């Protein structure tokens, strides 16, 4: 590992990563580390063409285990399981009398779960939103698009954002303060996944989200800018 740029690690800044906001989205108070327990907050920003949201069904992808939902002011949660006892979906339903005549509220729905031990991959949670008018007419929106998957070339990901994107989490590698070594198993083409790192090294290539540090990288003799990471590459990351 070539690490000649001592000053870079001093001037590099640290920024927390975030999940892009969508109409149906998922985030958490802590980063989604691969293989770790994660408390997910699913948010519903609006209803359907003015109708209030009545029901939310979140499908649990393969590899996500230990799922325990949280009842909320939206309504109680019910789980669906497969023959092996794994949770495959969670549905929150509002009491009929609490569905309002208009779309007025923002909702939070909680899950506690263990994420797959697959860093640098995106986990999608296809979600069905059901709305209801005062007359009892229901409409459905499927938040299930996975095109353009976040940060990496996932098998089902395209290059353009989905029209109705499924809530998703990009799994980060676990880390300790200081230097961490990883063997990357997925193609990472968006290096902003390391925006909370001081610097990333791969052989004689380096990257930093901090523009000052990145400028120093580009001026350092014998060092070139790291722009993407291919499967099987060993990297060193300082947090």
């Amino acid at each position: 590992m070539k690490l000649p740029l001592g000053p870079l690690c001093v001037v590099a800044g640290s920024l927390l990563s975030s999940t892009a906001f969508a109409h149906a989205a998922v985030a958490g108070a802590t980063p989604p580390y691969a293989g770790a327990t994660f408390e997910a907050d699913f948010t519903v920003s609006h209803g359907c063409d003015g109708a209030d949201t009545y029901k939310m069904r979140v499908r649990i992808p393969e590899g996500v285990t230990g799922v325990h939902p949280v009842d909320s002011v939206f309504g109680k949660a019910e789980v669906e399981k497969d023959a092996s006892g794994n949770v495959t979906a969670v549905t929150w339903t509002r009491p009929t009398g609490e569905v309002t005549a208009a779309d007025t509220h923002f909702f939070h729905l909680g899950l506690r779960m263990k994420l797959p031990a697959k860093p640098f991959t995106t986990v999608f949670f296809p979600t069905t939103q059901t709305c209801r008018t005062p007359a009892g007419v229901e409409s459905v929106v499927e938040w299930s698009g996975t095109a353009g998957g976040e940060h990496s070339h996932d098998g089902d990901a395209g290059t353009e954002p989905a029209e109705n994107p499924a809530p998703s989490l990009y799994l980060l590698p676990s880390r300790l303060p200081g230097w961490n070594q990883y063997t990357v198993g997925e193609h990472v083409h968006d290096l902003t996944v390391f925006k909370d790192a001081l610097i990333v090294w791969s052989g004689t290539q380096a990257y930093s989200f901090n523009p000052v540090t990145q400028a120093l990288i580009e001026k350092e003799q014998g060092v070139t800018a790291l722009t993407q990471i291919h499967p099987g590459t060993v990297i060193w990351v300082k947090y």
Side-chain angles (χ1 to χ4, degrees):
M1 176 179 65
K2 181 181 179 182
L3 303 174
L5 304 182
L8 296 189
C9 297
V10 176
V11 300
S14 175
L15 296 172
L16 292 176
S17 61
S18 62
T19 301
F21 184 81
H23 302 305
V26 60
T30 60
Y33 294 124
T37 297
F38 183 73
E39 293 188 8
D41 177 32
F42 289 85
T43 55
V44 189
S45 62
H46 60 69
C48 317
D49 295 326
D52 198 13
T53 303
Y54 166 62
K55 183 186 299 183
M56 293 293 294
R57 181 177 183 267
V58 176
R59 297 196 290 281
I60 307 302
E62 184 177 355
V64 174
T65 59
V67 177
H68 290 84
V70 178
D71 291 335
S72 72
V73 294
F74 182 88
K76 290 187 176 297
E78 295 184 359
V79 299
E80 301 172 33
K81 296 183 178 181
D82 61 18
S84 300
N86 299 311
V87 175
T88 57
V90 179
T91 301
W92 289 265
T93 305
R94 296 176 68 188
T96 303
E98 294 184 8
V99 179
T100 62
D103 171 25
T104 58
H105 283 62
F106 179 94
F107 299 108
H108 289 268
L109 308 171
L111 284 178
R112 188 173 187 268
M113 56 191 170
K114 185 175 182 180
L115 299 172
K118 296 180 65 177
F120 306 111
T121 61
T122 302
V123 178
F124 295 96
F125 296 84
T127 298
T128 301
Q129 178 182 11
T130 302
C131 299
R132 176 178 286 183
T133 68
V137 178
E138 294 187 358
S139 56
V140 173
V141 178
E142 295 288 349
W143 300 101
S144 57
T146 60
E150 196 178 10
H151 300 304
S152 67
H153 288 310
D154 296 320
D156 59 354
T159 57
E160 297 295 331
E163 181 177 355
N164 288 337
S168 65
L169 294 171
Y170 186 79
L171 304 187
L172 300 173
S174 59
R175 78 282 304 272
L176 295 171
W179 287 105
N180 295 259
Q181 182 185 32
Y182 306 112
T183 300
V184 179
E186 302 290 333
H187 186 181
V188 181
H189 65 90
D190 182 359
L191 296 187
T192 61
V193 299
F194 299 107
K195 64 168 53 178
D196 60 335
L198 298 175
I199 195 167
V200 182
W201 278 96
S202 176
T204 59
Q205 295 182 303
Y207 165 84
S208 176
F209 184 74
N210 182 280
V212 176
T213 307
Q214 187 64 27
L216 291 176
I217 290 172
E218 295 170 359
K219 294 178 181 179
E220 184 72 15
Q221 186 176 1
V223 178
T224 58
L226 179 66
T227 59
Q228 60 181 316
I229 304 171
H230 295 280
T233 301
V234 176
I235 63 174
W236 290 83
V237 185
K238 188 171 186 179
Y239 292 102

